[in-house]
Amino acid sequence: MLMLATVKKARPSKANTFGLVNVLKTQRLRIMPPRQNITAGGWLPAEEDNAAGHDEGDEQPSAEAAFVGQTPPPWWRQVTARSVATSVVLGTVLTFMSMRIGLTAGVGPAFNIVASLLGFFVIKSWTRLLARFGVASQPFTRQENVVLQTCVISCATLSFYGGFSTYLLAMTETVAKSAGGTGTGRDVYKLETGKVMAFLGLVSYSSLFCTLPLRKLMILDYKLMYPTGSAIAGIVNSFHTPAGAATAKLQVLAMSKAIVASFMWASFQWVYTGGSGCGFQDFPMFGLTAYKEKFYFDFSASLVGVGMICPVVVNFSMLFASTITSFFLLPTLLSKKGTWYTDPSPTNFRGINGYKVPMGIAMVLGDCLFQLGSISIRAAYHFNKNRKELNLVGTNIADDGNSDEQAPLSYDDRRRNKIFLEEGMPDYVAVAGYVFFSAVSAIFVPRIFPQIRYYHVALLYAVAPIMAFCNSYASGLCDWSLASVYGKLAIFIVGAWVGEASGGTIAGLAACGVMLMIIGNAAELMHDFKTGYLTLTSPLSMFISQAIGTSLGCLINPLVFLCFEKFVGKGHLGEAGSVFSAPLATAYRGLAVLSVEGVKILPKHSMMFCIAFFFGAFFLDCLAAIAKAKKWKVKSYIPNAMAMAIPFLIGPNIAVDMAMGSLLLVIWKKTNKKSANMLSVVVASGLICGDGLFALPSAILSIFQIEPPICMKFLSNYQTEEMQDHFLPKLAASS
């Protein structure tokens, strides 16, 4: 194998593959040690310590004791102009990064930690800068920090819930052709920016009102944890206390270094991408044979960062499935060409793609079915248990006639309950808002997507609150949202209802969008309410920040997607084999096609493989659940079924990069576990941010037709001999 480096003028390079951030480690943060209740000025006076609810024998740490001298500002001072302005900038950056992840790696990231860190860093830096120039500014409170983070996240999450890498893109002609369709007729839809904005606005605003009346039931009565919301609250509280400020500075510094390093590495790589198949991203580390199967390490800093965040079992499940698929399963299927299938197209559902995509979808559905059943059973059990406990408490109070018999609330709970109950939106306003947006959507959504009828939309809005309640309750228990599962069910039901002749493919995908946005955003809002509850943030300011972030998302996301169309090209978004192949869009398209056409379009024995992989995924989930319940030692080594489905939809090179990230994290923890636990997530986020930010100068260079000067390419021995026989003599003669 020979590495050939040539200086040449070539086509613009393809963008670096970008990864995912979809796992938030919800560690309990000890804000204050027991009995060390201090304010910024020192120890609490005796009377304040007693007022804070601490008896002599009370050894429980209090998060709010550190803020006992600080009165939370009113809601209109929590939603500030500077936080909204910062949300516009950070929301645009994180939306771009999230959409790029979805279009390349095919997953929906969660940037909660990044938004909290960057929001804290930007506003703190701004206030300090003004102070140096003698300009007074409003103090930056934890409530404003939470409002800013909520606004940014509600904007950025619309890149996934809005379907720009899933169901919306699956409607396009490019994805339809990549999935083996004709790309014409009522089964494709041309995305227009104005109509997409209108669709997002109608559905996402209704999601804000869907479960709003249940916030007291979920957070106060049932005391659901909402682990992501609780973790973010702990981080924000630590940022704004003297004990946590040092940690926050270390994390911001580590993230800044990782961003700069990742950006510089991406810039260095660009220099060597002056042609097709050139550069470090095409480095055949495991040999040219493995490279042909897309099994190589492409030196993507973003994907290495993703691997550092994702659980080790997820990354190595992907690597295991990639190995089995690339070297055993697909070669076997290719050998059956001419007997099992005759279509030569690698993307057609009647050819080899009729095995890969349905098998991946079967594993996804098997995993989703298990998770849906498992979480529904757990949610029903806890719901019934909480209801009995509440009834028992109510009976005891009624019998005794004295509410003081209840367990006394802690100082933290009293402060939080007071603000959470006093400031909020009346329930009748929430119900009226949902009914209004439901009626408007039933009228106008069919005008945006003519394939779906008003009664389809009305039915979706009628059942969505029930599904949203189930999903929000389950998410509060185990931090796992099943919004995408409900969206896939909507594809099957509405797609089959409308039928192939009437455009059931587009109707099913539109129905998926309605269900996914309502259920997903409702669960996200409940997590934000939990964050607000634990930081004494007004529920009204939380709702307003959600509304502002949603408005920004409905405007920013379509414009960012339009930029991708302009710079990358419409024909490359969702194109099989391209950098922006959008694997989830292909999967959603496959579900929609199967819902209206059935299994008759698949090649021979494809359904047999699908059934086997469906039950295989279900079996793996059952085995993992049993191993966890029985505390078997092998519980950490059972592959994750959902992760194993990903290589069927995208190339295995992503799995190699993510496994490398896990390996680096394992080594880091072995050498310095404390440092790794504190900084690994922010370092990984910095690697992702820096690699993603280079896309902007890369696009500018392409606009001005500034091309990479060098092509670094790797050749086999045979290719090297061919080059020496034909290319070098001509080069010598011309010189």
Side-chain angles (χ1 to χ4, degrees):
M1 183 175 66
L2 173 71
M3 183 181 72
L4 174 66
T6 60
V7 180
K8 60 185 292 256
K9 185 177 180 181
R11 295 185 298 275
S13 66
K14 62 181 182 179
N16 293 328
T17 305
F18 196 59
L20 81 109
V21 178
N22 67 345
V23 176
L24 177 62
K25 296 184 178 179
T26 56
Q27 304 179 50
R28 287 182 178 272
L29 300 181
R30 187 161 64 101
I31 306 304
M32 300 293 297
R35 300 298 299 154
Q36 294 181 8
N37 299 321
I38 56 173
T39 62
W43 292 90
L44 281 172
E47 60 272 17
E48 290 190 6
D49 186 50
N50 292 334
H54 297 288
D55 300 327
E56 289 186 4
D58 185 12
E59 294 294 333
Q60 295 297 323
S62 170
E64 294 304 325
F67 303 97
V68 73
Q70 302 178 13
T71 302
W75 68 267
W76 60 86
R77 291 180 59 191
Q78 296 176 15
V79 185
T80 62
R82 68 185 181 188
S83 65
V84 174
T86 305
S87 298
V88 173
V89 177
L90 295 182
T92 302
V93 173
L94 294 185
T95 294
F96 171 82
M97 292 165 55
S98 177
M99 198 173 296
R100 189 165 183 255
I101 291 171
L103 291 172
T104 55
V107 288
F111 286 122
N112 304 68
I113 289 181
V114 178
S116 298
L117 275 169
L118 292 180
F120 176 82
F121 175 73
V122 170
I123 300 296
K124 272 290 186 181
S125 300
W126 174 250
T127 55
R128 288 177 179 175
L129 181 63
L130 292 179
R132 287 190 176 183
F133 288 96
V135 180
S137 60
Q138 177 180 332
F140 181 44
T141 63
R142 53 182 173 150
Q143 288 80 19
E144 186 180 357
N145 201 160
V146 169
V147 165
L148 191 156
Q149 180 257 340
T150 300
C151 191
V152 171
I153 292 303
S154 59
C155 171
T157 51
L158 266 184
S159 65
F160 177 76
Y161 291 134
F164 293 96
S165 59
T166 54
Y167 60 86
L168 275 183
L169 190 60
M171 300 179 181
T172 62
E173 178 182 349
T174 302
V175 176
K177 290 181 178 179
S178 296
T182 59
T184 58
R186 296 176 62 86
D187 285 338
V188 294
Y189 183 82
K190 183 180 180 181
L191 298 180
E192 299 179 8
T193 304
K195 290 185 177 181
V196 171
M197 288 182 178
F199 176 69
L200 294 180
L202 288 171
V203 182
S204 58
Y205 273 114
S206 61
S207 67
L208 298 181
F209 297 96
C210 185
T211 55
L212 191 59
L214 300 175
R215 63 184 179 88
K216 177 181 178 295
L217 178 70
M218 299 286 200
I219 295 175
L220 295 187
D221 295 342
Y222 294 152
K223 302 184 186 303
L224 297 177
M225 280 300 297
Y226 289 99
T228 294
S230 298
I232 293 299
I235 292 172
V236 172
N237 282 334
S238 69
F239 285 172
H240 294 270
T241 56
T247 300
K249 290 179 181 178
L250 283 176
Q251 290 175 327
V252 171
L253 180 62
M255 177 182 281
S256 302
K257 291 180 178 179
I259 289 175
V260 173
S262 179
F263 184 87
M264 296 303 294
W265 173 244
S267 305
F268 177 75
Q269 286 191 87
W270 176 83
V271 175
Y272 297 92
T273 56
S276 178
C278 300
F280 286 93
Q281 63 265 37
D282 291 290
F283 186 90
M285 176 174 287
F286 305 105
L288 292 173
T289 302
Y291 174 78
K292 292 178 181 179
E293 302 296 335
K294 295 187 177 180
F295 201 93
Y296 56 90
F297 177 60
D298 64 5
F299 292 89
S300 171
S302 58
L303 289 177
V304 172
V306 169
M308 294 176 65
I309 294 178
C310 287
V312 174
V313 66
V314 170
N315 295 331
F316 284 98
S317 294
M318 291 177 58
L319 184 63
F320 173 72
S322 299
T323 305
I324 298 299
T325 303
S326 300
F327 297 107
F328 297 99
L329 182 59
L330 290 184
T332 301
L333 292 174
L334 288 172
S335 67
K336 300 297 182 181
K337 183 180 178 181
T339 55
W340 287 6
Y341 63 95
T342 57
D343 197 309
S345 173
T347 60
N348 198 312
F349 265 33
R350 293 175 173 82
I352 190 65
N353 216 37
Y355 294 100
K356 291 196 302 181
V357 174
M359 283 190 292
I361 293 173
M363 294 195 72
V364 170
L365 292 179
D367 180 80
C368 288
L369 179 63
F370 176 85
Q371 299 295 344
L372 180 62
S374 174
I375 294 179
S376 297
I377 292 172
R378 291 174 59 187
Y381 170 77
H382 285 276
F383 180 83
N384 186 56
K385 180 181 178 181
N386 289 331
R387 181 177 59 82
K388 289 181 178 179
E389 290 177 354
L390 288 174
N391 291 339
L392 182 60
V393 171
T395 302
N396 292 337
I397 293 172
D399 292 341
D400 298 340
N402 185 2
S403 61
D404 292 336
E405 293 296 324
Q406 299 182 72
L409 294 175
S410 66
Y411 170 67
D412 287 5
D413 289 339
R414 290 201 302 273
R415 292 198 74 187
R416 292 163 178 170
N417 291 357
K418 183 177 183 295
I419 292 177
F420 195 73
L421 293 175
E422 287 183 354
E423 300 184 12
M425 184 178 295
D427 291 345
Y428 66 86
V429 176
V431 174
Y434 184 78
V435 171
F436 170 77
F437 281 104
S438 300
V440 174
S441 297
I443 296 172
F444 289 101
V445 168
R447 297 191 179 186
I448 299 174
F449 301 106
Q451 291 86 345
I452 195 171
R453 299 290 183 264
Y454 72 90
Y455 47 84
H456 299 139
V457 180
L459 178 62
L460 290 171
Y461 272 93
V463 301
I466 302 173
M467 302 295 128
F469 167 76
C470 297
N471 188 56
S472 297
Y473 194 93
S475 182
L477 285 176
C478 55
D479 207 33
W480 187 270
S481 176
L482 296 175
S484 60
V485 178
Y486 292 109
K488 293 179 179 72
L489 292 177
I491 291 179
F492 277 105
I493 295 172
V494 176
W497 188 356
V498 174
E500 180 180 2
S502 301
T505 301
I506 301 300
L509 292 170
C512 172
V514 173
M515 192 65 73
L516 182 59
M517 271 196 284
I518 293 177
I519 296 176
N521 283 337
E524 293 287 340
L525 180 59
M526 209 58 67
H527 277 274
D528 291 334
F529 274 134
K530 183 68 175 184
T531 304
Y533 172 76
L534 295 175
T535 56
L536 301 188
T537 308
S538 168
L540 186 57
S541 67
M542 295 294 294
F543 180 82
I544 293 173
S545 65
Q546 276 277 351
I548 294 174
T550 299
S551 302
L552 293 175
C554 294
L555 178 66
I556 291 173
N557 278 277
L559 294 179
V560 171
F561 184 77
L562 185 63
C563 291
F564 273 102
E565 287 187 331
K566 295 294 184 182
F567 293 143
V568 179
K570 289 185 178 181
H572 296 295
L573 291 181
E575 181 185 23
S578 67
V579 175
F580 299 95
S581 59
L584 279 186
T586 304
Y588 276 72
R589 180 76 189 189
L591 286 172
V593 170
L594 291 176
S595 69
V596 297
E597 291 190 22
V599 299
K600 61 180 183 293
I601 66 171
L602 299 178
K604 191 176 181 180
H605 301 304
S606 177
M607 280 306 299
M608 181 183 67
F609 281 99
C610 290
I611 294 172
F613 276 76
F614 175 89
F615 284 106
F618 193 88
F619 171 77
L620 278 177
D621 285 330
C622 292
L623 184 61
I626 295 172
K628 183 178 180 180
K630 298 291 186 180
K631 297 182 180 180
W632 293 344
K633 293 183 179 180
V634 297
K635 64 181 181 180
S636 301
Y637 302 98
I638 299 175
N640 182 280
M642 181 67 76
M644 291 184 66
I646 295 177
F648 289 92
L649 305 174
I650 56 179
N653 60 299
I654 292 179
V656 175
D657 286 15
M658 292 174 64
M660 185 66 69
S662 281
L663 182 60
L664 292 176
L665 181 60
V666 169
I667 296 174
W668 189 359
K669 286 188 175 182
K670 289 291 185 181
T671 55
N672 192 335
K673 186 175 182 179
K674 182 178 179 181
S675 173
N677 289 336
M678 182 175 64
L679 300 176
S680 61
V681 174
V682 294
V683 168
S685 301
L687 293 176
I688 296 167
C689 290
D691 198 21
L693 289 175
F694 180 73
L696 181 60
S698 177
I700 295 175
L701 291 171
S702 298
I703 292 174
F704 289 98
Q705 297 183 348
I706 300 176
E707 301 170 348
I710 301 173
C711 171
M712 184 176 68
K713 207 174 184 68
F714 301 88
L715 305 177
S716 65
N717 290 333
Y718 172 77
Q719 291 173 320
T720 302
E721 293 175 359
E722 290 289 313
M723 180 193 67
Q724 292 174 345
D725 292 341
H726 300 284
F727 176 71
L728 293 181
K730 294 180 180 179
L731 184 63
S734 61
S735 61

